[in-house]
Amino acid sequence: MDAVYLEIRKIARKIAARYPRPDFYRAHPSETNGSRRFYHSDVAILRLREDMAGCLDDDFGHGMGHVEKVAIDAGTLVIIESRLAGHAEDRVQRNLLLAQCAGLLHDICRKEKSHAEKGAETARDILRTYPLVPEEITHVCTAIRNHEAFSRLERLPARQARIISDCLYDADKFRWGPDNFNHTLWDMVGFVNPPLEVFVDHFPKGMALLKKIRGTFRSRTGRRYGPQFIDMGLAIGEELYQVILTDFIPPP
């Protein structure tokens, strides 16, 4: 990454550090801790983590660091939503497994066209060797197909499938908040390495996309807490943009 982007990234992270942890984590500490413990202890998830470590590139903002956060947050959301739906605790734990599988696998084909569709096909092949029944594999793959913003949403008659799909989507879009300016944006810049003028020209378009994402959260919990993630991202981005214009773009 060019020195100028390293400096801008440093500024972005300083701005982001001033913001508190989103309310989602403070409001649901037991579910967050439960999902995190599961992620670090379940045999199938541990195996899938090892499998995925060699399949994901960290140079495009959607590597292992990204999918781990998505998996854990999707798990947290699924615990909350499954209990709200009245599921028995054994079903809650099964949903947690499926949500974390979906989180780890959702960006496996990130650099390809129609990456959600191709990712779902690849995930099905991978999960055939895991201790999941065919219906559960279908739920995971459907969630992966449905995780892209602004695309046609597949109708899901099964409540379990809807919960997993909605929670994966929301956990993935949580990353469009502070995470975007701490990590994702800079990984993508490092991969593309655009001229600073191009980066600055595209910045308002990216901010406009963030605003559109704000109204797309799908689960009840996601709709409650997701907009705050985006609002934080917008505030960080707006402040950063002004710094870039003032300190990095020479006057005409």
Side-chain angles (χ1 to χ4, degrees), residues 6-225:
L6 291 174
E7 183 62 26
I8 294 172
R9 183 181 70 179
K10 185 189 301 184
I11 294 167
R13 288 175 172 175
K14 284 182 179 179
I15 295 170
R18 300 203 310 264
Y19 287 79
R21 191 165 170 79
D23 291 343
F24 171 70
Y25 304 108
R26 293 187 290 173
H28 296 284
S30 63
E31 294 91 345
T32 300
N33 290 334
S35 181
R36 190 174 299 278
R37 283 194 302 271
F38 189 89
Y39 182 81
H40 290 290
S41 63
D42 181 78
V43 173
I45 294 298
L46 290 172
R47 177 185 161 197
L48 188 56
R49 286 169 57 192
E50 290 182 3
D51 288 347
M52 292 307 299
C55 297
L56 293 171
D57 296 323
D58 284 322
D59 60 2
F60 199 57
H62 295 79
M64 201 65 198
H66 170 78
V67 301
E68 284 185 341
K69 289 179 181 179
V70 172
I72 292 170
D73 281 1
T76 303
L77 285 163
V78 136
I79 293 171
I80 298 165
E81 291 293 312
S82 297
R83 289 173 179 166
L84 286 173
H87 288 177
E89 199 58 30
D90 59 342
R91 173 59 66 86
V92 173
Q93 293 301 304
R94 203 67 191 172
N95 289 351
L96 173 56
L97 170 63
L98 301 184
Q100 292 198 354
C101 285
L104 283 168
L105 288 162
H106 77 283
D107 275 339
I108 193 169
C109 295
R110 186 63 181 82
K111 292 180 181 178
E112 298 185 34
K113 266 190 165 184
S114 305
H115 87 273
E117 185 67 36
K118 290 184 179 177
E121 295 170 5
T122 303
R124 186 177 296 278
D125 291 337
I126 291 171
L127 292 176
R128 284 195 179 105
T129 64
Y130 279 74
L132 303 176
V133 301
E135 183 183 38
E136 291 176 326
I137 294 175
T138 295
H139 291 341
V140 172
C141 295
T142 301
I144 293 170
R145 276 198 303 275
N146 274 347
H147 88 272
E148 278 195 278
F150 316 124
S151 60
R152 182 175 175 273
L153 183 64
E154 184 176 338
R155 295 186 64 184
L156 305 173
R159 178 186 288 183
Q160 184 183 24
R162 288 198 305 272
I163 288 175
I164 294 159
S165 180
D166 290 350
C167 291
L168 172 66
Y169 179 88
D170 290 351
D172 189 43
K173 301 309 171 278
F174 283 177
R175 313 277 75 77
W176 289 48
D179 273 4
N180 188 50
F181 294 97
N182 276 311
H183 304 290
T184 311
L185 179 59
W186 313 115
D187 291 340
M188 297 180 77
V189 164
F191 179 75
V192 178
N193 196 28
L196 183 59
E197 294 78 9
V198 174
F199 175 80
V200 172
D201 182 60
H202 280 80
F203 202 100
K205 299 172 188 175
M207 295 291 284
L209 194 60
L210 275 183
K211 290 178 183 177
K212 287 179 67 177
I213 285 289
R214 192 183 188 280
T216 69
F217 291 95
R218 296 173 182 171
S219 71
R220 283 172 288 184
T221 308
R223 290 194 299 271
R224 179 174 181 181
Y225 295 105

